[in-house]
Amino acid sequence: MARERSPALWLHPQTSATRKMPVCHRILLLLWLLHFSSVYSDITDGNVEHLKREHSLIKPYQGVGTSPSSQWDFRGSTLVTSQYVRLTPDERSKQGSIWNTVPCYLKDWEMHVQFKIHGSGKKNLHGDGFAIWYTKDRLHPGPVFGNQDHFVGLAVFVDTFRNDLQGMDRSFPYISAMVNNGSLPYDHRQDGRSTELGGCSVKVRNQDHDTYLAIRYSKGRLTIMIDVDDRNDWKECIDIGGVRLPTGYYFGASSATGDLSDNHDIISMKMYQLMVEHTSEEDNQDWTKIEPSVSLLKSPKDNIDDPTGNFRSTPLTGWKVFLLLLCALLGIVVCAVVGAVVFQKRQERNKRFY
């Protein structure tokens, strides 16, 4: 799902029309261009040259299998077809997963996941969801959406079933993220609320259109975006800084069903390398030795009573930054105009006395 990136027009030589513009108009044009640049750089444009095929799962899934040359391996109830990878069928008590066999040594990356959740269960009678992983270990089945508990790394959960009947402040399906160094359990009874970094409610089940999830990690910031409304538009779900993830971990996806079930399909997982400059100190650091951690403004346990499910207030988006800059510019212009009018009236008043 490629996203068009706005060209950096302000880097081009000025045309004659631009040179004739008033200064205030040039400033407004620059603000508009800065705004659109920030908006379109929120998510990678999906250029092929940044696509890392060794970490991508793409139709017709030729690199999937158990041979030594395979780049993806699977286990459990996972079914690989030419059109999708079904982690679990719409049957009870199933577990399935698929894992990249190649460790990822990218410091800055973005994973785009196209998925589909569908089944015959009626409202609230389906489950349980699936998870996208970036972890130290792979192919370890367990109770957390088909993967092991006390994992080491990052997990993004797409949870379709509510276990916590007291947590009625959020609707399901619900997307959340968790970073773990192996010391924390995932609490199913509270839908992982005590350890989540944030989340958002989404309508992704039994949709007739494509549904997407994007996970970006760059310079210690974790951002999760969704495109689930068939509008070809990314929306922010989670954005949090202070996240430390090492290199050399594995990407994967897993799912599980219990007494309730659904089909959990992965259509594609596309990994993009982000071109980001780092300081010499960061470049010289051994990123494989980093312990997964998050520097939070408050403890994860404080998030239990947070009705928004987020640790931080929403960051300034491109539109907010633009509006703030525009308001500041308008304020300056108004002050300049008022000052000019007052100065002119004083000059006229002074002339009357001579």
PDB file of all heavy atoms in Angstrom, residues 273-291:
ATOM      1  N   GLN A 273      13.062  -0.438   5.448  1.00  0.00           N
ATOM      2  CA  GLN A 273      14.151   0.193   6.175  1.00  0.00           C
ATOM      3  C   GLN A 273      13.979   1.700   6.122  1.00  0.00           C
ATOM      4  O   GLN A 273      13.743   2.277   5.065  1.00  0.00           O
ATOM      5  CB  GLN A 273      15.506  -0.191   5.570  1.00  0.00           C
ATOM      6  CG  GLN A 273      16.692   0.439   6.279  1.00  0.00           C
ATOM      7  CD  GLN A 273      18.024   0.029   5.675  1.00  0.00           C
ATOM      8  OE1 GLN A 273      18.051  -0.612   4.617  1.00  0.00           O
ATOM      9  NE2 GLN A 273      19.107   0.370   6.331  1.00  0.00           N
ATOM     10  N   LEU A 274      14.089   2.359   7.278  1.00  0.00           N
ATOM     11  CA  LEU A 274      13.987   3.806   7.353  1.00  0.00           C
ATOM     12  C   LEU A 274      15.391   4.409   7.336  1.00  0.00           C
ATOM     13  O   LEU A 274      16.265   3.981   8.083  1.00  0.00           O
ATOM     14  CB  LEU A 274      13.251   4.227   8.625  1.00  0.00           C
ATOM     15  CG  LEU A 274      11.833   3.676   8.794  1.00  0.00           C
ATOM     16  CD1 LEU A 274      11.223   4.159  10.107  1.00  0.00           C
ATOM     17  CD2 LEU A 274      10.953   4.075   7.624  1.00  0.00           C
ATOM     18  N   MET A 275      15.597   5.376   6.457  1.00  0.00           N
ATOM     19  CA  MET A 275      16.897   6.023   6.337  1.00  0.00           C
ATOM     20  C   MET A 275      16.984   7.149   7.363  1.00  0.00           C
ATOM     21  O   MET A 275      16.461   8.248   7.154  1.00  0.00           O
ATOM     22  CB  MET A 275      17.089   6.558   4.917  1.00  0.00           C
ATOM     23  CG  MET A 275      16.965   5.488   3.851  1.00  0.00           C
ATOM     24  SD  MET A 275      18.131   4.121   4.131  1.00  0.00           S
ATOM     25  CE  MET A 275      17.718   3.046   2.751  1.00  0.00           C
ATOM     26  N   VAL A 276      17.625   6.875   8.476  1.00  0.00           N
ATOM     27  CA  VAL A 276      17.703   7.813   9.586  1.00  0.00           C
ATOM     28  C   VAL A 276      19.161   7.975  10.000  1.00  0.00           C
ATOM     29  O   VAL A 276      19.894   6.988  10.101  1.00  0.00           O
ATOM     30  CB  VAL A 276      16.866   7.322  10.789  1.00  0.00           C
ATOM     31  CG1 VAL A 276      16.994   8.277  11.965  1.00  0.00           C
ATOM     32  CG2 VAL A 276      15.398   7.185  10.385  1.00  0.00           C
ATOM     33  N   GLU A 277      19.563   9.210  10.233  1.00  0.00           N
ATOM     34  CA  GLU A 277      20.922   9.464  10.697  1.00  0.00           C
ATOM     35  C   GLU A 277      21.000   9.334  12.209  1.00  0.00           C
ATOM     36  O   GLU A 277      20.110   9.773  12.930  1.00  0.00           O
ATOM     37  CB  GLU A 277      21.371  10.869  10.274  1.00  0.00           C
ATOM     38  CG  GLU A 277      21.556  11.039   8.774  1.00  0.00           C
ATOM     39  CD  GLU A 277      22.120  12.411   8.428  1.00  0.00           C
ATOM     40  OE1 GLU A 277      22.385  13.192   9.371  1.00  0.00           O
ATOM     41  OE2 GLU A 277      22.298  12.683   7.229  1.00  0.00           O
ATOM     42  N   HIS A 278      22.095   8.718  12.677  1.00  0.00           N
ATOM     43  CA  HIS A 278      22.337   8.565  14.107  1.00  0.00           C
ATOM     44  C   HIS A 278      23.644   9.238  14.482  1.00  0.00           C
ATOM     45  O   HIS A 278      24.516   9.457  13.634  1.00  0.00           O
ATOM     46  CB  HIS A 278      22.389   7.082  14.478  1.00  0.00           C
ATOM     47  CG  HIS A 278      21.067   6.386  14.419  1.00  0.00           C
ATOM     48  ND1 HIS A 278      20.217   6.318  15.502  1.00  0.00           N
ATOM     49  CD2 HIS A 278      20.434   5.728  13.410  1.00  0.00           C
ATOM     50  CE1 HIS A 278      19.129   5.654  15.159  1.00  0.00           C
ATOM     51  NE2 HIS A 278      19.230   5.292  13.900  1.00  0.00           N
ATOM     52  N   THR A 279      23.770   9.574  15.748  1.00  0.00           N
ATOM     53  CA  THR A 279      25.010  10.150  16.238  1.00  0.00           C
ATOM     54  C   THR A 279      26.108   9.094  16.205  1.00  0.00           C
ATOM     55  O   THR A 279      25.838   7.888  16.140  1.00  0.00           O
ATOM     56  CB  THR A 279      24.837  10.680  17.664  1.00  0.00           C
ATOM     57  OG1 THR A 279      24.551   9.582  18.540  1.00  0.00           O
ATOM     58  CG2 THR A 279      23.688  11.689  17.726  1.00  0.00           C
ATOM     59  N   SER A 280      27.351   9.547  16.255  1.00  0.00           N
ATOM     60  CA  SER A 280      28.471   8.606  16.262  1.00  0.00           C
ATOM     61  C   SER A 280      28.416   7.708  17.485  1.00  0.00           C
ATOM     62  O   SER A 280      28.784   6.529  17.429  1.00  0.00           O
ATOM     63  CB  SER A 280      29.794   9.376  16.229  1.00  0.00           C
ATOM     64  OG  SER A 280      29.877  10.284  17.325  1.00  0.00           O
ATOM     65  N   GLU A 281      27.921   8.249  18.599  1.00  0.00           N
ATOM     66  CA  GLU A 281      27.795   7.431  19.806  1.00  0.00           C
ATOM     67  C   GLU A 281      26.776   6.316  19.600  1.00  0.00           C
ATOM     68  O   GLU A 281      26.994   5.172  20.011  1.00  0.00           O
ATOM     69  CB  GLU A 281      27.382   8.314  20.987  1.00  0.00           C
ATOM     70  CG  GLU A 281      27.249   7.566  22.309  1.00  0.00           C
ATOM     71  CD  GLU A 281      26.829   8.474  23.450  1.00  0.00           C
ATOM     72  OE1 GLU A 281      26.728   9.699  23.217  1.00  0.00           O
ATOM     73  OE2 GLU A 281      26.609   7.974  24.560  1.00  0.00           O
ATOM     74  N   GLU A 282      25.668   6.646  18.954  1.00  0.00           N
ATOM     75  CA  GLU A 282      24.648   5.623  18.688  1.00  0.00           C
ATOM     76  C   GLU A 282      25.161   4.581  17.705  1.00  0.00           C
ATOM     77  O   GLU A 282      24.889   3.385  17.849  1.00  0.00           O
ATOM     78  CB  GLU A 282      23.381   6.289  18.151  1.00  0.00           C
ATOM     79  CG  GLU A 282      22.641   7.128  19.177  1.00  0.00           C
ATOM     80  CD  GLU A 282      21.493   7.905  18.556  1.00  0.00           C
ATOM     81  OE1 GLU A 282      21.546   8.198  17.344  1.00  0.00           O
ATOM     82  OE2 GLU A 282      20.539   8.234  19.281  1.00  0.00           O
ATOM     83  N   ASP A 283      25.882   5.029  16.688  1.00  0.00           N
ATOM     84  CA  ASP A 283      26.399   4.094  15.696  1.00  0.00           C
ATOM     85  C   ASP A 283      27.431   3.138  16.287  1.00  0.00           C
ATOM     86  O   ASP A 283      27.543   1.987  15.860  1.00  0.00           O
ATOM     87  CB  ASP A 283      27.021   4.858  14.520  1.00  0.00           C
ATOM     88  CG  ASP A 283      25.960   5.489  13.631  1.00  0.00           C
ATOM     89  OD1 ASP A 283      24.851   4.937  13.564  1.00  0.00           O
ATOM     90  OD2 ASP A 283      26.250   6.536  13.009  1.00  0.00           O
ATOM     91  N   ASN A 284      28.196   3.611  17.255  1.00  0.00           N
ATOM     92  CA  ASN A 284      29.232   2.771  17.861  1.00  0.00           C
ATOM     93  C   ASN A 284      28.689   1.846  18.942  1.00  0.00           C
ATOM     94  O   ASN A 284      29.416   0.983  19.435  1.00  0.00           O
ATOM     95  CB  ASN A 284      30.339   3.653  18.451  1.00  0.00           C
ATOM     96  CG  ASN A 284      31.101   4.411  17.373  1.00  0.00           C
ATOM     97  OD1 ASN A 284      31.236   3.932  16.244  1.00  0.00           O
ATOM     98  ND2 ASN A 284      31.585   5.609  17.715  1.00  0.00           N
ATOM     99  N   GLN A 285      27.441   2.034  19.323  1.00  0.00           N
ATOM    100  CA  GLN A 285      26.840   1.194  20.347  1.00  0.00           C
ATOM    101  C   GLN A 285      26.512  -0.184  19.789  1.00  0.00           C
ATOM    102  O   GLN A 285      26.141  -0.328  18.623  1.00  0.00           O
ATOM    103  CB  GLN A 285      25.561   1.848  20.881  1.00  0.00           C
ATOM    104  CG  GLN A 285      24.891   1.093  22.010  1.00  0.00           C
ATOM    105  CD  GLN A 285      23.622   1.793  22.488  1.00  0.00           C
ATOM    106  OE1 GLN A 285      23.165   2.746  21.877  1.00  0.00           O
ATOM    107  NE2 GLN A 285      23.053   1.317  23.578  1.00  0.00           N
ATOM    108  N   ASP A 286      26.661  -1.200  20.622  1.00  0.00           N
ATOM    109  CA  ASP A 286      26.289  -2.556  20.235  1.00  0.00           C
ATOM    110  C   ASP A 286      24.784  -2.720  20.470  1.00  0.00           C
ATOM    111  O   ASP A 286      24.345  -2.985  21.585  1.00  0.00           O
ATOM    112  CB  ASP A 286      27.073  -3.587  21.046  1.00  0.00           C
ATOM    113  CG  ASP A 286      26.838  -5.014  20.562  1.00  0.00           C
ATOM    114  OD1 ASP A 286      25.974  -5.201  19.675  1.00  0.00           O
ATOM    115  OD2 ASP A 286      27.502  -5.943  21.066  1.00  0.00           O
ATOM    116  N   TRP A 287      24.022  -2.565  19.396  1.00  0.00           N
ATOM    117  CA  TRP A 287      22.565  -2.582  19.510  1.00  0.00           C
ATOM    118  C   TRP A 287      22.017  -3.969  19.849  1.00  0.00           C
ATOM    119  O   TRP A 287      20.881  -4.093  20.284  1.00  0.00           O
ATOM    120  CB  TRP A 287      21.924  -2.068  18.219  1.00  0.00           C
ATOM    121  CG  TRP A 287      22.038  -0.589  18.051  1.00  0.00           C
ATOM    122  CD1 TRP A 287      23.194   0.141  18.034  1.00  0.00           C
ATOM    123  CD2 TRP A 287      20.971   0.346  17.912  1.00  0.00           C
ATOM    124  NE1 TRP A 287      22.910   1.474  17.868  1.00  0.00           N
ATOM    125  CE2 TRP A 287      21.557   1.635  17.780  1.00  0.00           C
ATOM    126  CE3 TRP A 287      19.594   0.235  17.850  1.00  0.00           C
ATOM    127  CZ2 TRP A 287      20.791   2.789  17.625  1.00  0.00           C
ATOM    128  CZ3 TRP A 287      18.824   1.382  17.673  1.00  0.00           C
ATOM    129  CH2 TRP A 287      19.423   2.639  17.569  1.00  0.00           C
ATOM    130  N   THR A 288      22.794  -4.993  19.649  1.00  0.00           N
ATOM    131  CA  THR A 288      22.330  -6.340  19.995  1.00  0.00           C
ATOM    132  C   THR A 288      22.306  -6.563  21.503  1.00  0.00           C
ATOM    133  O   THR A 288      21.678  -7.510  21.975  1.00  0.00           O
ATOM    134  CB  THR A 288      23.219  -7.409  19.338  1.00  0.00           C
ATOM    135  OG1 THR A 288      24.555  -7.298  19.847  1.00  0.00           O
ATOM    136  CG2 THR A 288      23.234  -7.245  17.827  1.00  0.00           C
ATOM    137  N   LYS A 289      22.992  -5.691  22.259  1.00  0.00           N
ATOM    138  CA  LYS A 289      23.072  -5.846  23.717  1.00  0.00           C
ATOM    139  C   LYS A 289      22.026  -5.007  24.454  1.00  0.00           C
ATOM    140  O   LYS A 289      21.950  -5.046  25.680  1.00  0.00           O
ATOM    141  CB  LYS A 289      24.465  -5.452  24.204  1.00  0.00           C
ATOM    142  CG  LYS A 289      25.619  -6.229  23.566  1.00  0.00           C
ATOM    143  CD  LYS A 289      25.519  -7.716  23.858  1.00  0.00           C
ATOM    144  CE  LYS A 289      26.732  -8.451  23.279  1.00  0.00           C
ATOM    145  NZ  LYS A 289      26.636  -9.921  23.499  1.00  0.00           N
ATOM    146  N   ILE A 290      21.233  -4.241  23.722  1.00  0.00           N
ATOM    147  CA  ILE A 290      20.212  -3.402  24.358  1.00  0.00           C
ATOM    148  C   ILE A 290      19.124  -4.279  24.967  1.00  0.00           C
ATOM    149  O   ILE A 290      18.666  -5.247  24.357  1.00  0.00           O
ATOM    150  CB  ILE A 290      19.605  -2.426  23.334  1.00  0.00           C
ATOM    151  CG1 ILE A 290      20.664  -1.424  22.863  1.00  0.00           C
ATOM    152  CG2 ILE A 290      18.400  -1.694  23.922  1.00  0.00           C
ATOM    153  CD1 ILE A 290      20.174  -0.480  21.787  1.00  0.00           C
ATOM    154  N   GLU A 291      18.707  -3.932  26.173  1.00  0.00           N
ATOM    155  CA  GLU A 291      17.588  -4.639  26.805  1.00  0.00           C
ATOM    156  C   GLU A 291      16.291  -3.914  26.491  1.00  0.00           C
ATOM    157  O   GLU A 291      16.206  -2.688  26.639  1.00  0.00           O
ATOM    158  CB  GLU A 291      17.781  -4.716  28.318  1.00  0.00           C
ATOM    159  CG  GLU A 291      16.668  -5.474  29.023  1.00  0.00           C
ATOM    160  CD  GLU A 291      16.853  -5.520  30.532  1.00  0.00           C
ATOM    161  OE1 GLU A 291      16.827  -4.441  31.151  1.00  0.00           O
ATOM    162  OE2 GLU A 291      17.025  -6.614  31.078  1.00  0.00           O
TER     163      GLU A 291
END
